[in-house]
Amino acid sequence: MTTTFPDVSISTERLVLRPFEAADIPAHIEMMNDEPVIAWTSAPYPYSAQDAEEWVSAIAPAERTEGRGLVLAVTEFLTQRLVGLARLKNTNWRTRTAEMSYVTAPWARGEGYATESVLAVAQWLFRDQSFERIELRTAADNTAAQQVAQKAGCISEGVLRNAWIARTQTETGSWIDVRTDLIVWSLLPEDLEGVAEQMADAGGYGSSFTDWN
């Protein structure tokens, strides 16, 4: 039984999702030091050059080679600029399920890139890797992440109470940990039917997520 994902690149009409490269490090540092990213992720903060180098050279590649998941840099097709990341983790190869998370850079928000990348990875995972379920978990107050899940066609399944530690900024500018609930979402192969077409009809991006290698 296959227990690692291939070293893949996935293309949409606007994006290329590929493994991280050394050239991504400056933009990755800037993205990970953005306030919403600090608030809703468990990444180190402040996020240093050493953190980024370790992520690109060791942590992200090991997710794939050790069978835990897959980490992809989300880049604009035209400019090749880093606009986010998409990550599969907690992969169960027997049940063909994985958890997905995503981060969008502050300079790329409002363009639908997170939803586009979620749909691209989901279509690849379901059609090419024969997976049966993707799970997303969003902090209760992270409305932006919840909107992405909804636009991608995910179904809300319930709440994990007091299950996550987020961060909030104090009046002095420091960050402190706060406990929060997690909303659990799922995406199944049949949930994708018509989602991309609906977004295209609504004036969003096109519905081509078929180019991977």
Side-chain angles (χ1 to χ4, degrees):
M1 182 177 68
T2 301
T3 56
T4 58
F5 289 115
D7 192 9
V8 70
S9 175
I10 304 171
S11 298
T12 73
E13 292 181 359
R14 302 190 301 169
L15 302 174
V16 176
L17 288 73
R18 53 154 177 81
F20 271 86
E21 302 171 352
D24 299 319
I25 288 176
H28 182 61
I29 295 170
E30 185 177 353
M31 176 175 73
M32 299 307 292
N33 279 309
D34 182 57
E35 289 184 4
V37 178
I38 296 171
W40 301 120
T41 74
S42 59
Y45 75 95
Y47 199 85
S48 67
Q50 181 178 347
D51 292 324
E53 290 166 3
E54 186 177 5
W55 172 261
V56 171
S57 65
I59 297 175
E63 287 290 289
R64 185 186 73 81
T65 59
E66 297 179 9
R68 293 189 297 271
L70 183 68
V71 178
L72 296 171
V74 180
T75 64
E76 285 182 325
F77 177 78
L78 293 177
T79 66
Q80 300 183 27
R81 188 179 190 187
L82 182 73
V83 298
L85 69 83
R87 181 181 184 182
L88 296 173
K89 58 186 179 180
N90 298 328
T91 304
N92 187 316
W93 291 97
R94 182 175 181 273
T95 61
R96 310 300 281 187
T97 62
E99 183 181 340
M100 187 172 182
S101 59
Y102 39 88
V103 172
T104 303
W107 53 85
R109 292 181 188 138
E111 300 294 331
Y113 286 154
T115 305
E116 187 169 347
S117 61
V118 168
L119 287 171
V121 173
Q123 191 167 67
W124 170 78
L125 196 64
F126 291 149
R127 295 184 181 181
D128 197 55
Q129 300 297 307
S130 300
F131 267 57
E132 295 294 336
R133 172 184 167 92
I134 298 173
E135 185 172 296
L136 294 82
R137 299 184 176 194
T138 61
D141 292 329
N142 189 351
T143 55
Q146 292 163 28
Q147 289 172 356
V148 170
Q150 291 172 333
K151 290 178 181 178
C154 298
I155 303 300
S156 175
E157 293 186 334
V159 175
L160 298 176
R161 296 185 302 161
N162 213 28
W164 184 248
I165 297 177
R167 301 171 180 138
T168 187
Q169 197 167 23
T170 67
E171 294 181 356
T172 63
S174 62
W175 290 88
I176 59 172
D177 291 344
V178 291
R179 297 205 68 95
T180 185
D181 298 341
L182 285 177
I183 300 174
V184 179
W185 308 78
S186 67
L187 189 66
L188 306 184
E190 56 265 31
D191 297 330
L192 286 185
E193 297 177 6
V195 172
E197 289 79 3
Q198 291 172 14
M199 294 205 60
D201 292 342
Y205 53 85
S207 56
S208 174
F209 304 103
T210 57
D211 182 20
W212 53 76
N213 53 58

